């Protein structure tokens, strides 16, 4: 048994194990016992040490059914989790048992590069199964996760499965929120299966409490002509690690992975992506932007792997960071691994401060310094947010960005 995972493994042993989760849990426990939670000696985690997560003490979710105040519903329907527990009484989308998704579970736990998913597999008890039939346009569906003030230092590991039939489409708006005074762990895993010609647009707004740990892993498989479009806003948690693993498995498939990290005092935000071009004539786009204040630390690691069969690949990756403090830090590691000879791939990274000439220009026209800085920061983030096609999701992102900036500038 690996020492830094003992507490999680003991918790897994104490859980009831329904038949549908048995194989998944065994895979997770075996991987966790073998490798534990990584520290900086593991290359994929050289900038983000998960030892503090292993050392923290977490309890079970409270049995009392807290009823938090929910924001107004934005989409056609929504599914609500409170303190890690699915609440059918607060949801407007009828829950489908996760046991129905059993054949789709457990495709990622054996990988040595997926310890976050292994932790989830060992302890998963609940989650969302969203199954969109072929040809159906499901519209906007919300996934809401709220941690309440009285929850205490809990850990929860939801397993979410999204499957789209041929030609289907769905837009998912995911929000994650919690109180600042609680040190909890939210460890969600998404398994997304996009069939031929289907489209899944997934927007996440992560505003966990300032004492929280947020470890997320998304694994998407996209068939021929399908599209997976992801945008993640990291604006909360003491330590946030957002992993996205996508595989383009059929010709003319597409994947867009974009996002923004808003990192303040005492925070670490890590976005790590792995994009596998496994078929010809596929396209991918990645644009990630980070704004860092105080002694905040940001990380971006992005790898594009182009298999030999993936001729005529079109891949683009850009990571840009804006440092608003001399104590802020940004670490970037873009990677291209190409085995095909007919490809168009590029990547870039820039790190810098606000342009003093632009700031002077705005101030010389009577704009106060705080307002001028806010305008420049918003302009910096606009390119990333404007890539979100759904107006409701884009408005929610704009609101979250403005709320973060007002808190920083206060």
């Amino acid at each position: 048994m690996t020492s830094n995972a003992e507490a999680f493994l003991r918790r897994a042993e104490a859980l009831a194990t329904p038949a549908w989760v048995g194989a998944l849990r065994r895979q997770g426990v075996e991987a966790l016992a073998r490798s534990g939670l990584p520290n900086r000696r593991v290359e994929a985690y050289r900038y983000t040490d998960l030892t503090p997560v292993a050392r923290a003490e977490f309890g079970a979710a409270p049995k009392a059914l807290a009823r938090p105040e929910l924001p107004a519903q934005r989409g056609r329907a929504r599914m609500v989790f409170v303190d890690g527990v699915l609440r059918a009484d607060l949801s407007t989308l009828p829950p489908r048992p996760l046991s129905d998704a059993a054949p789709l579970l457990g495709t990622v736990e054996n990988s040595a590069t997926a310890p976050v998913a292994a932790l989830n597999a060992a302890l998963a008890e609940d989650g969302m199964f969203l199954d969109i039939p072929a040809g159906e346009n499901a519209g906007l569906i919300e996934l809401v996760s709220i941690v309440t003030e009285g929850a205490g230092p809990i850990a929860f590991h939801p397993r979410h499965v999204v499957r789209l039939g041929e030609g289907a489409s769905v837009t998912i708006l995911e929000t994650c929120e919690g109180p600042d005074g609680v040190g909890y762990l939210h460890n969600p895993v998404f398994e997304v299966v996009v069939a031929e010609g289907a489209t899944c647009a997934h927007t996440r707004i992560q505003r966990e409490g300032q004492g929280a740990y947020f470890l997320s892993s998304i694994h998407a498989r996209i068939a021929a002509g399908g599209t997976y479009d992801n945008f993640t806003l990291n604006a909360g948690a003491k330590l946030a690690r957002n992993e996205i693993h996508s595989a383009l498995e059929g010709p003319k498939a597409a994947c867009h992975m974009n996002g923004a990290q808003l990192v303040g005092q005492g925070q670490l935000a890590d976005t790590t992506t792995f994009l596998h071009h496994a078929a010809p004539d596929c396209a991918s786009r990645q644009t990630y932007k980070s704004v860092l204040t105080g002694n905040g630390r940001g990380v971006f690691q992005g790898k594009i792997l182009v298999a030999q069969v993936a001729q005529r690949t079109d891949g683009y990756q850009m990571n840009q960071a804006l440092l608003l403090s001399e104590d802020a830090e940004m670490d970037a590691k873009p990677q291209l691994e190409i085995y095909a000879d007919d490809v168009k791939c590029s990547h870039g990274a820039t790190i810098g401060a606000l342009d003093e000439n632009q700031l002077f220009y705005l101030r010389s026209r009577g704009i106060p310094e705080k307002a001028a800085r806010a305008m420049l920061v918003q302009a910096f983030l606009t390119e990333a947010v404007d890539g979100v096609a759904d107006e409701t999701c884009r408005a929610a992102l704009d609101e979250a960005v403005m709320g973060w900036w007002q808190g920083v500038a206060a």
Side-chain angles (χ1 to χ4, degrees), residues 44-397:
Y45 289 80
R46 63 179 298 187
Y47 302 115
T48 304
D49 188 356
L50 297 190
T51 301
V53 179
R55 290 176 177 167
E57 295 184 3
F58 302 108
K63 295 186 181 301
L65 294 179
R67 191 177 184 89
E69 182 177 347
L70 297 175
Q73 185 170 309
R74 298 175 185 264
R76 167 186 157 188
R78 69 178 171 190
M79 195 165 287
V80 179
F81 288 76
V82 179
D83 299 333
V85 178
L86 174 60
R87 294 287 298 273
D89 59 318
L90 301 178
S91 303
T92 57
L93 182 69
R96 182 170 176 182
L98 199 57
S99 56
D100 288 356
L104 302 174
L105 295 173
T107 60
V108 297
E109 279 65 41
N110 289 327
S111 171
T113 61
V116 169
L119 175 63
N120 175 281
L123 293 160
E125 294 184 89
D126 215 339
M128 172 187 74
F129 180 29
L130 189 59
D131 195 10
I132 312 300
E136 180 177 318
N137 180 358
L140 176 61
I141 294 176
E142 293 180 77
L143 174 59
V144 180
S145 173
I146 295 179
V147 174
T148 60
E149 289 280 356
I154 63 173
F156 51 102
H157 313 264
R159 191 76 169 204
H160 303 306
V161 179
V162 179
R163 178 172 62 185
L164 286 83
E166 186 173 343
S169 63
V170 67
T171 298
I172 301 170
L173 175 59
E174 178 191 1
T175 56
C176 310
E177 299 184 359
D180 287 339
V182 181
Y184 59 90
L185 167 63
H186 184 186
N187 171 220
V189 166
F190 279 80
E191 294 191 60
V192 182
V193 180
V194 180
E196 291 189 15
T199 300
C200 178
H202 180 188
T203 298
R204 168 187 286 163
I205 300 174
Q206 185 272 112
R207 292 185 293 189
E208 303 285 6
Q210 295 300 304
Y213 299 100
F214 182 78
L215 305 179
S216 165
S217 180
I218 298 172
H219 300 260
R221 294 155 45 205
I222 305 115
T227 299
Y228 178 64
D229 192 343
N230 177 281
F231 187 98
T232 296
L233 175 68
N234 274 325
K238 175 168 62 176
L239 186 157
R241 166 115 172 169
N242 174 47
E243 295 184 21
I244 308 177
H245 303 254
S246 296
L248 298 167
E249 298 181 340
K252 298 187 184 302
C255 182
H256 309 136
M257 299 189 295
N258 304 310
Q261 300 189 132
L262 310 178
V263 191
Q265 183 72 21
Q267 290 181 286
L268 166 62
D270 176 341
T271 292
T272 295
T273 67
F274 180 83
L275 183 54
H276 185 193
H277 280 263
D281 301 302
C282 295
S284 64
R285 296 289 182 270
Q286 298 182 64
T287 300
Y288 285 93
K289 300 207 171 191
S290 300
V291 179
L292 302 102
T293 67
N295 66 352
R297 287 188 55 229
V299 177
F300 175 77
Q301 301 180 103
K303 181 175 181 178
I304 299 175
L305 171 62
V306 181
Q308 187 173 7
V309 70
Q311 301 296 334
R312 297 172 298 281
T313 284
D314 182 1
Y316 170 82
Q317 180 191 96
M318 174 58 72
N319 167 53
Q320 297 175 312
L322 186 60
L323 307 183
L324 302 183
S325 163
E326 293 183 356
D327 297 322
E329 178 183 330
M330 183 71 197
D331 298 297
K333 190 176 76 171
Q335 295 176 273
L336 293 178
E337 189 173 336
I338 302 173
Y339 296 97
D341 53 18
D342 183 7
V343 303
K344 183 171 67 174
C345 286
S346 64
H347 66 75
T350 64
I351 301 173
L354 283 177
D355 189 317
E356 292 296 331
N357 290 329
Q358 293 178 351
L359 190 59
F360 175 79
Y361 176 85
L362 293 174
R363 295 190 65 192
S364 68
R365 276 147 182 80
I367 299 174
E369 181 177 357
K370 280 188 177 181
R373 290 169 67 87
M375 290 173 65
L376 292 177
V377 170
Q378 273 199 304
F380 173 76
L381 293 171
T382 292
E383 180 185 354
V385 175
D386 278 355
V388 177
D390 185 85
E391 292 183 4
T392 301
C393 293
R394 196 164 59 246
L397 286 167

